[in-house]
Amino acid sequence: MAQDYYATLGVGRDATPEEIKKAYRKLARQLHPDVNDAPDASERFKEVTLAYEVLSDPSKRSMFDRGGDPMSSGGGFGGGAQGFNFDDIMDAFFGQNAQRGPRPRQQRGQDALLRLNVDLAEAAFGVTHEIKVDTAVTCTTCDGSGAANGSQPETCRTCHGHGDVQHVQRSLLGDIRTSRPCPTCHGFGTVIPDPCPECAGEGRVRSRRSLSVTIPAGVDQGTRIQLTGEGEVGPGGGPAGDLYLEINVARHPMFQRKGDQLFCQVTVPMTAAALGTQMDLPTLEADVPDSDEADRTVLLDVAPGTQSGDTITIKGHGVPRLRGSGRGDLKVQVVVETPSRLDDEQRALLEQLAALRDEQRPDALIGANHKGVFGKIKDAFK
């Protein structure tokens, strides 16, 4: 008496082919010996595979529904499983068929990455650069077809245009068929008997081209700019990939950048720090040739009594924001310079000042919380 194949798969006798296939996938995932080490897993896997072999074939299913056993003439499972397609097991584990049949010659090209060096002012205010790109472009001789003039791709005689070939392997489950890309046409289903002499059938050639690139204001170190469709053309003249530009910002001799803020240091004499002063401070616009003259400097107001390490903030003179409006600030750290050489008259004047301020022998300021000039400068950069 033949086994009840419907009961084996857990479906009713009126089950649709899709329901039968769905039930088999579920059971195959549970019972496959590679994922189930139960003692009876292998035998049960054979049973559900045999049941699916019968119920997925309309003629075998019809014979079974009439009371016959379509597998009896094969001498059990080994004979009945002849011709079993391994792709059904792959369906069970991956949920759908892998891509089969000929694949198109036209494929999307790869993305490309270039590093672009800019200075700080160019990164801050934006710039347009002309760059050279070595990449693959569509062959103009064959327009991407890969075939010489007057010729056309022909159907592969090995796979007859299917793009893959069948291999049969004996196993405990019977004959298992697997599909592999055709070694003659490499899965395309067609061959090019007369390749284009310029691209050797590839449909694309290497070439150097110029590209005008606009760098937006506010980019920073490591920023990547995507240029859609400016990468490599794909095989067979397929669509081009994207080109990515990674920004590398050169070190500036005066300014340091952190986000949208700029930092610099200014050294002032001891007397200027004590009495207060004003000075013209160069801005980042000074590095831009066509900038307005008035924007190239900003007035720095050093208040009387400014200490070494104090920070003066100048609003709106930092870096323009990349994804927003306005600019950051310019932060200036003041370093007070103490004279190291004095003539007699200068020494006498300082001694008079020290006497007036009762500072001939000042008390030392010692404490864990007291920060010197370098500590203040370090804190300003945090």
Side-chain angles (χ1 to χ4, degrees), residues 5-310:
Y5 300 123
Y6 291 103
T8 300
L9 292 182
V11 297
R13 288 186 170 270
D14 58 349
T16 64
E18 186 61 32
E19 290 173 338
I20 292 173
K21 190 172 186 178
K22 184 177 180 181
Y24 171 68
R25 288 177 179 174
K26 180 179 179 181
L27 291 172
R29 283 195 296 265
Q30 297 174 355
L31 299 174
H32 194 279
D34 289 342
V35 296
N36 191 330
D37 55 1
D40 60 341
S42 178
E43 188 63 32
R44 292 183 60 196
F45 179 74
K46 294 178 182 179
E47 291 176 357
V48 298
T49 303
L50 178 60
Y52 178 71
E53 173 74 9
V54 172
L55 299 183
S56 63
D57 187 315
S59 61
K60 294 179 181 178
R61 181 179 180 180
S62 177
M63 181 183 298
F64 178 72
D65 289 341
R66 294 195 302 268
D69 183 3
M71 310 305 288
S72 61
S73 60
F77 177 79
Q82 298 294 325
F84 177 70
N85 197 330
F86 184 72
D87 290 330
D88 290 327
I89 295 182
M90 300 302 293
D91 289 347
F93 283 93
F94 298 104
Q96 60 183 7
N97 289 336
Q99 181 179 354
R100 299 167 188 156
R103 59 190 179 99
R105 288 189 176 274
Q106 282 193 346
Q107 300 178 35
R108 184 183 183 275
Q110 291 185 340
D111 297 336
L113 174 65
L114 291 179
R115 289 176 174 83
L116 182 63
N117 297 320
V118 298
D119 58 39
L120 182 57
E122 291 175 332
F125 303 118
V127 68
T128 298
H129 267 294
E130 194 81 13
I131 63 174
K132 301 291 185 181
V133 182
D134 291 318
T135 185
V137 298
T138 302
C139 176
T140 57
T141 303
C142 64
D143 293 328
S145 69
N149 290 335
S151 67
Q152 295 290 334
E154 297 179 355
T155 301
C156 176
R157 297 181 180 179
T158 301
C159 66
H160 305 289
H162 294 292
D164 52 22
V165 292
Q166 298 287 328
H167 292 265
V168 181
Q169 182 178 2
R170 303 283 297 182
S171 73
L172 294 176
L173 303 179
D175 289 348
I176 297 179
R177 293 191 179 95
T178 58
S179 296
R180 299 178 184 176
C182 175
T184 302
C185 66
H186 306 290
F188 295 120
T190 59
V191 294
I192 300 178
D194 190 10
C196 171
E198 184 68 24
C199 65
E202 182 71 13
R204 57 181 181 170
V205 293
R206 304 297 299 184
S207 177
R208 168 171 286 196
R209 57 191 176 97
S210 297
L211 190 63
S212 181
V213 179
T214 298
I215 307 301
V219 297
D220 203 351
Q221 176 73 26
T223 299
R224 286 192 176 184
I225 300 173
Q226 181 181 7
L227 303 177
T228 304
E230 297 294 348
E232 289 194 349
V233 167
D242 299 334
L243 174 63
Y244 291 86
L245 294 180
E246 186 173 276
I247 302 300
N248 179 53
V249 183
R251 184 183 297 273
H252 194 276
M254 177 177 175
F255 297 106
Q256 294 185 37
R257 176 182 177 180
K258 185 175 181 181
D260 60 4
Q261 293 185 332
L262 289 178
F263 296 85
C264 71
Q265 292 183 359
V266 170
T267 301
V268 299
M270 177 185 66
T271 53
L275 301 175
T277 188
Q278 290 183 334
M279 62 179 66
D280 288 330
L281 180 70
T283 63
L284 191 58
E285 281 89 338
D287 293 348
V288 182
D290 57 352
S291 63
D292 292 339
E293 189 69 30
D295 295 332
R296 298 186 178 187
T297 59
V298 64
L299 184 64
L300 179 65
D301 190 2
V302 181
T306 296
Q307 302 296 305
S308 195
D310 285 353

